Amino acid sequence: MKKVFKFDELGCANCGAKMEDAINKLDGVVSAKVNFMAQKLTIEADDARFDAIMDEAQKICHKIEPDCDIVR
């Protein structure tokens, strides 16, 4: 499954790159791309684990940038 999500409060391109790297390492993720200028996350991941992967991705975002949320 491939979906695009909007970020709320992603304030730093470097933080976005760190999030992209960490999300790509999650089990079940085929690809994750963060577009800082568009404030979007494009993620392709295993259908069966998609919700769990998104929960883990949200935790990663909060760890790197506490005010940043993935709008679902």
Side-chain angles (χ1 to χ4, degrees):
M1 178 182 307
K2 185 175 187 178
K3 287 192 173 186
V4 178
F5 297 93
K6 185 159 177 51
F7 280 113
D8 184 35
E9 300 291 328
L10 177 59
C12 170
N14 187 44
C15 293
K18 289 179 184 178
M19 290 174 193
E20 181 178 301
D21 287 343
I23 293 169
N24 271 310
K25 293 177 183 172
L26 293 175
D27 186 40
V29 173
V30 175
S31 72
K33 301 226 184 290
V34 173
N35 183 324
F36 173 71
M37 293 303 290
Q39 296 281 302
K40 293 190 179 183
L41 166 67
T42 304
I43 187 164
E44 185 176 354
D46 181 31
D47 290 355
R49 285 191 16 88
F50 199 84
D51 288 335
I53 289 168
M54 289 308 299
D55 290 341
E56 292 175 47
Q58 182 64 67
K59 288 177 189 173
I60 288 168
C61 292
H62 274 250
K63 186 175 181 181
I64 294 170
E65 199 167 305
D67 293 335
C68 182
D69 288 313
I70 300 171
V71 180
R72 293 195 246 178

